[in-house]
Amino acid sequence: MSESTTDHPSRTSQIPEQTPPAPRVPRPSPPSRAEIRPRVRRIGAAGVSQADAPAPAPAPADSPAGAQRLGPLGLFTVLAGAALPLLDFFIVNVALSAIGRDLHADPALLELVVAGYGVAYAVLLVLGGRLGDMFGRRTLFLAGLVAFAVTSLLCGLAPDAWSLIAARAAQGAASAAMLPQALATIQATTAGRRRARAIGLYGATAGLAMVAGQILGGVLLAADLAGTGWRAVFLVNVPAVLLLLVLVWRTVPETRSDRPAPVDVPGTVLLGAALVALMLPLTEGRAAGWPLWSWLALAAFPFLAAAFAAVERRADRAGRVPLVPPGMLRLPGMRRGLPLVALTVGGFGGFMFVLAIAFQQGLDYGPVRAGTALVPYAVAFFLASLAGPRLTGRFGDRVVTAGGVVQIAGLVLLILTVLDAWPHLGFRDLAPGLAVAGFGQGLIMPVAIRIVLADVPAEQAGVGGGVMATVQQSAVALGMALIGALFLTAVPESGMRDALALALTAQLTLVALITFLSLRLPRGTG
């Protein structure tokens, strides 16, 4: 830019001393702000050092740099969307008997109603996270919600058992598109204390959804809305999704990975095959009488899992991005937290499954009474989840240890109550043990989930959420299958009372293992 003496009177050329002074020139008026802006823009374009420009204000400690902040209503929306898949997995537990009577389905077909959803859900979760990183998490969230509404409608209108099984599998696939986006959005749009609180609320929501599913299922069955019977447990999703679509569109920011990677097809196929080989026989084998295919599938699982691990390592060494990056599984949070999450939700899934059967078949509770019997557990879980972040900030991850001790006390109290008062167990008898156990569970689950996600980079938030959700869902199915099989095998020989006490003891053993593993957590990670 050229300079003139009129533009810069202070920079006139030097004049000899003997020359008479020049007449005083009036100082020009300062340029207006509108005149300054173009000059500032031209100077910036000419490459003036950034040190001359004012430094940008630092991002707040609780907001991620360069990302939109997720507001309170947006967080509520994301958590509500995350609750739907878990709610729908457990809401069917109390409806299976009514479905069997109406559709003339034997126990093996009823197990497929549960297994079809769970297997499709678990198999596609990591892929759903990767697609959200690629195409945008809000975009995948919206698409998953639309698919979930359509498949829920198909479930509610199913004319026979096989149509319901197919619709449930499709509903599980839609859920796999939704859930990873919830966790990834939280990871990408929050930081610091806000992220810790949000992930803690996610853990609380996940646990409450499992309990509330059985409570809501019982209420809807008893209400028999417009004569829909069991179909209401699926049809109720449609208006809920319509409301969530509006809220997601208005309150959830779009995020995606800065460096999205293409889909790892070999890894996706092998992971899906391994999960099917594990989950399908465990969820369907008992009801089908453990046919040969179930044992062959279980025998194939370790080989498929080993092949998946080898393919992922080879892709990583070749410079490609595997479906599950091996480095992610080596993160401290993943190594410490995934076993805790798997044991916690696995035992929880078996616990809820066994109680649903014991309440309805052993104690002759109706659907509403079977659901409301779990209210003390749900309330205590919720209160512990609210207190968890504050306690974790003060005592660190030793909160998990305390939660394990409390839950063990609740399970011991529940076992003693079952052995003493069966078969005249009422709400007052069950409430103390359920409340104490629920409070302990509420201290464990949100903290365990936060530990898993603590080290996951924001650009891999979708994959990290998908990995955790896959472990979570697989563990739920595994816990239901193993603890459920233990319970149902013991019923003919020992009776319902002793079988329930045995299943609760198995749950207690898992909680004791969680408590032991929690002692290995660093003390100062709160």
Side-chain angles (χ1 to χ4, degrees), residues 252-276:
V252 177
E254 179 68 283
T255 62
R256 56 170 53 86
S257 175
D258 293 333
R259 296 181 295 276
V263 173
D264 173 17
V265 176
T268 301
V269 172
L270 282 171
L271 177 62
L275 289 173
V276 170

Side-chain angles (χ1 to χ4, degrees), residues 38-56:
R39 295 177 69 185
V40 171
R41 282 195 291 268
R42 286 196 299 271
I43 291 172
V48 174
S49 168
Q50 292 298 316
D52 296 333

